[in-house]
């Protein structure tokens, strides 16, 4: 296993001082899977005071209550935590106390899943008392010990388990799967910010659809608005899936961008509330995008999404059903209103939405590809679609006698003319138009 030099130095220093030291948790799991770990955690039988003494000025007591010391190693930080046994959990999130132990196996026994309860030392020796390596080999996700106890200790593990399934493609064993659903209401005790962080990682996993389809009721704990989507027959020849599965199929056909994946899952959340049947028994969803937008706004605020991300998701949901003409004029107008980033995401969403329809109605793919080609060509040509691209500035309009709000109004009018192809983006032509259309009085 390729342990980074900075981490090896920490392990070597602890062992030279007569202590045990292991890399543990996600870094070991990811290394065994051939993935590049995001960070490396070290565990040791050395007590926190002993770790501080070993590393001196390089050590910071960042979490002594839980046995964690942060060590500076060649300019990077490595967390070193003493083997511990957790006390009782009263809030379904963190133990009220911890006690330190000299046994690595006791420390591994308190962890959530077997694939996260593996340790490795400098010599590449694995400590794996719960069969985590075997579970990785066969793609299984199992709790360490009793799954109900694990989830009741820390309810966030419910979403973490779903996230590991979504990101790593692991299949929950029966006991773990049932315990996730059985304990889902405990998520009400978890801070919305923590739920949001796990959810976004889950949604961006390559196996997110499977995880969502396996546990929609879990998502419904914090987003009850999605529950009416389940098994909701759309009663329309354009659709071969119910509203929930249509949405998860769409999600599976989008790139793993957080805003895009959220929009794909929620773009039709308003359909059950807008459903009508015509005289022929055909289902329609008039105004569903607006309802979806309103519901999504409340859902995102509930989980404390940042304003920027929330507004980006809402734009995608609001626009997902709008027609964008695959012409230069149509794309310039869309660029004017959305900008390049959101327009590209919107085209991705429209492609995925179409792929989630009945097979006879998936014919919009070439139209969307054509729109993407036009968009790329416009950007290569440095097309004018925002005020910063306009060949005149507010100062130019002051010379015509405009002032105050009239300057901004004229700039936007000029931009509309250029975007619609009525005027060239040339300074003289723009000033001539402005001069001819000065406000009266």
């Amino acid at each position: 296993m390729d342990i980074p030099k900075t981490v090896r130095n920490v392990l070597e220093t602890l062992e030279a001082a007569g202590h045990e030291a292991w890399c543990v948790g996600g870094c070991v799991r990811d290394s065994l899977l051939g993935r590049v770990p995001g960070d490396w955690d070290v565990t040791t039988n050395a007590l926190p005071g002993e770790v501080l003494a070993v590393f001196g000025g390089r050590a910071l007591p960042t979490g002594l209550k839980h046995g964690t010391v942060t060590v500076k190693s060649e300019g990077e930080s490595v967390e070193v935590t003493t083997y511990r046994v957790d006390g009782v959990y009263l809030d379904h999130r963190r133990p009220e106390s911890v006690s330190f132990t000299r046994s690595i196996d006791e420390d591994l026994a308190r962890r959530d899943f077997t694939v996260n309860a593996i340790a490795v030392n400098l010599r590449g020796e694995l400590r794996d008392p719960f069969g985590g390596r075997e579970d990785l080999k066969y793609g299984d996700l199992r709790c360490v010990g009793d799954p109900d106890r694990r989830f009741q200790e820390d309810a966030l593990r419910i979403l973490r388990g779903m996230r590991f399934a979504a990101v790593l493609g692991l299949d929950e064993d029966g006991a773990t799967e049932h315990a996730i659903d059985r304990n889902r209401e405990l998520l009400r005790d978890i801070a919305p910010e923590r739920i949001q962080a796990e959810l976004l990682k889950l949604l961006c996993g390559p196996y997110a659809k499977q995880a969502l389809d396996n546990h929609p009721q879990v998502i419904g704990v914090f987003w009850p608005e999605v529950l009416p989507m389940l098994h909701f027959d759309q009663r329309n020849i354009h659709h071969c899936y119910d509203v929930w599965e249509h949405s998860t199929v769409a999600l599976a056909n989008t790139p793993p961008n957080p805003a895009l994946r959220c929009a794909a899952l929620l773009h039709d959340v308003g359909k059950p509330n807008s459903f009508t049947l015509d005289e022929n028994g055909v289902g329609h969803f008039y105004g569903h995008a607006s309802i979806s937008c309103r519901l999504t706004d409340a859902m995102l605020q509930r989980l404390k999404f940042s304003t920027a991300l929330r507004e980006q998701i809402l734009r995608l949901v609001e626009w997902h059903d709008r027609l964008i003409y695959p012409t230069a004029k149509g794309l310039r107008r869309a660029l004017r209103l959305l900008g390049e980033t959101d327009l590209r995401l919107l085209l991705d969403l429209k492609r995925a939405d179409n792929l989630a329809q009945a097979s006879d109605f998936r014919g919009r793919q070439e139209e969307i590809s054509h729109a993407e080609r036009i968009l790329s060509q416009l950007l290569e040509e440095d097309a004018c679609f925002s005020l910063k691209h306009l060949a005149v500035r507010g100062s130019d309009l002051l010379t015509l006698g405009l002032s105050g709000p009239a300057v901004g109004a004229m700039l936007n009018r000029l931009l509309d003319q250029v975007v619609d192809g009525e005027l060239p983006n040339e300074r003289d032509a723009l000033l001539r138009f402005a001069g001819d259309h000065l406000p009266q009085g």
Side-chain angles (χ1 to χ4, degrees):
M1 192 172 294
D2 189 15
I3 300 174
K5 183 180 179 182
T6 53
V7 180
R8 294 188 70 87
N9 287 345
V10 172
L11 298 172
E12 289 168 354
T13 302
L14 285 166
E15 287 196 355
H19 303 293
E20 294 178 9
W22 303 78
C23 295
V24 69
C27 58
V28 181
R29 178 200 68 224
D30 287 347
S31 295
L32 290 173
L33 288 172
R35 298 164 58 94
V36 178
D39 50 44
W40 289 77
D41 293 323
V42 171
T43 189
T44 179
N45 64 347
L47 297 173
E50 294 172 327
V51 176
L52 290 170
V54 167
F55 291 98
R58 295 166 55 200
L60 298 173
T62 49
L64 289 185
K65 178 182 176 182
H66 294 96
T68 300
V69 173
T70 299
V71 175
K72 294 292 184 181
S73 177
E74 299 189 13
E76 297 185 19
S77 296
V78 179
E79 284 197 350
V80 178
T81 302
T82 302
Y83 303 159
R84 74 186 200 207
V85 176
D86 293 339
V88 297
Y89 289 73
L90 298 181
D91 62 355
H92 303 300
R93 183 67 188 102
R94 295 190 181 282
E96 291 297 298
S97 63
V98 302
S99 57
F100 301 126
T101 176
R102 297 291 185 174
S103 167
I104 179 65
D105 287 356
E106 286 187 346
D107 180 87
L108 295 174
R110 69 179 176 82
R111 296 175 183 268
D112 50 8
F113 302 100
T114 63
V115 297
N116 295 330
I118 312 171
V120 66
N121 64 15
L122 277 170
R123 290 157 295 285
E125 299 165 346
L126 288 181
R127 194 73 174 187
D128 181 21
F130 304 103
R133 189 177 190 182
E134 191 79 355
D135 285 342
L136 282 177
K137 178 180 177 181
Y138 292 105
D140 294 329
L141 185 70
R142 283 191 303 121
C143 287
V144 174
D146 176 19
D148 286 311
R149 178 182 175 183
R150 292 284 85 92
F151 295 136
Q152 288 162 17
E153 288 171 342
D154 180 358
L156 192 62
R157 289 170 174 167
I158 294 168
L159 279 180
R160 279 171 56 83
M162 291 176 61
R163 190 243 295 181
F164 292 135
V167 173
L168 303 177
L170 301 177
D171 292 323
E172 303 148 6
D173 77 321
T176 300
E177 179 181 7
H178 296 318
I180 284 176
D181 283 328
R182 193 162 49 239
N183 292 282
R184 64 182 183 271
E185 291 295 328
L186 297 177
L187 284 169
R188 299 188 189 281
D189 294 332
I190 301 301
E193 295 87 349
R194 299 307 303 268
I195 290 176
Q196 180 212 133
E198 285 296 333
L199 179 66
L200 290 178
K201 294 174 185 175
L202 185 166
L203 293 181
C204 288
Y207 307 96
K209 173 178 167 47
Q210 294 91 316
L212 292 167
D213 286 343
N214 285 344
H215 299 288
Q217 299 290 342
V218 172
I219 306 301
V221 172
F222 49 85
W223 277 352
E225 293 88 347
V226 307
L227 297 179
M229 300 165 69
L230 301 176
H231 314 300
F232 195 100
D233 187 349
Q234 304 198 58
R235 305 283 292 276
N236 190 296
I237 62 171
H238 289 85
H239 289 284
C240 57
Y241 302 115
D242 65 36
V243 178
W244 173 259
E245 191 167 8
H246 163 79
S247 301
T248 61
V249 170
L251 179 146
N253 281 288
T254 58
N257 172 283
L260 185 55
R261 288 283 172 100
C262 279
L265 183 63
L266 303 179
H267 72 285
D268 280 349
V269 68
K271 274 192 168 182
N273 289 350
S274 63
F275 179 69
T276 58
L277 275 178
D278 65 20
E279 62 276 11
N280 298 314
V282 177
H284 300 281
F285 303 92
Y286 301 115
H288 79 275
S290 177
I291 298 173
S292 295
C293 210
R294 174 172 54 80
L295 293 174
T296 297
D297 191 18
M299 296 162 73
L300 299 180
Q301 291 198 53
R302 191 178 310 136
L303 292 191
K304 311 295 185 184
F305 275 61
S306 69
T307 299
L309 181 55
R310 177 172 58 85
E311 291 180 347
Q312 186 178 37
I313 294 167
L314 291 175
R315 278 192 295 275
L316 295 173
V317 172
E318 180 185 3
W319 277 73
H320 84 270
D321 210 32
R322 291 190 188 181
L323 178 63
I324 295 178
Y325 290 100
T327 63
K329 182 176 180 178
L331 270 297
R332 282 197 302 267
R333 284 182 171 178
L335 275 169
R336 163 93 161 96
L337 295 168
L338 294 171
E340 179 189 357
T341 298
D342 284 0
L343 179 53
R344 288 196 182 279
L345 291 177
L346 179 63
L347 292 174
D348 284 334
L349 179 58
K350 285 181 172 292
R351 182 184 297 282
D353 193 15
N354 181 238
L355 288 171
Q357 292 183 320
S359 57
D360 288 344
F361 298 94
R362 296 174 190 169
R364 296 193 58 214
Q365 298 303 302
E366 178 50 38
E367 176 187 315
I368 295 167
S369 295
H370 182 56
E372 289 172 336
R373 289 191 292 269
I374 293 173
L375 172 59
S376 295
Q377 183 178 350
L378 288 172
L379 294 170
E380 288 176 8
E381 295 171 353
D382 201 22
C384 177
F385 60 88
S386 69
L387 290 176
K388 70 179 182 179
H389 296 103
L390 204 59
V392 296
R393 298 287 180 266
S395 56
D396 297 315
L397 301 183
L398 296 177
T399 62
L400 299 178
L402 292 170
S403 62
V407 173
M410 181 58 74
L411 285 172
N412 279 290
R413 186 174 181 184
L414 292 173
L415 179 58
D416 286 339
Q417 291 289 312
V418 172
V419 167
D420 287 346
E422 301 297 328
L423 281 176
N425 188 28
E426 298 172 358
R427 186 173 185 277
D428 290 346
L430 297 176
L431 290 177
R432 186 162 51 249
F433 178 92
D436 291 342
H437 295 82
L438 294 174
Q440 299 300 313

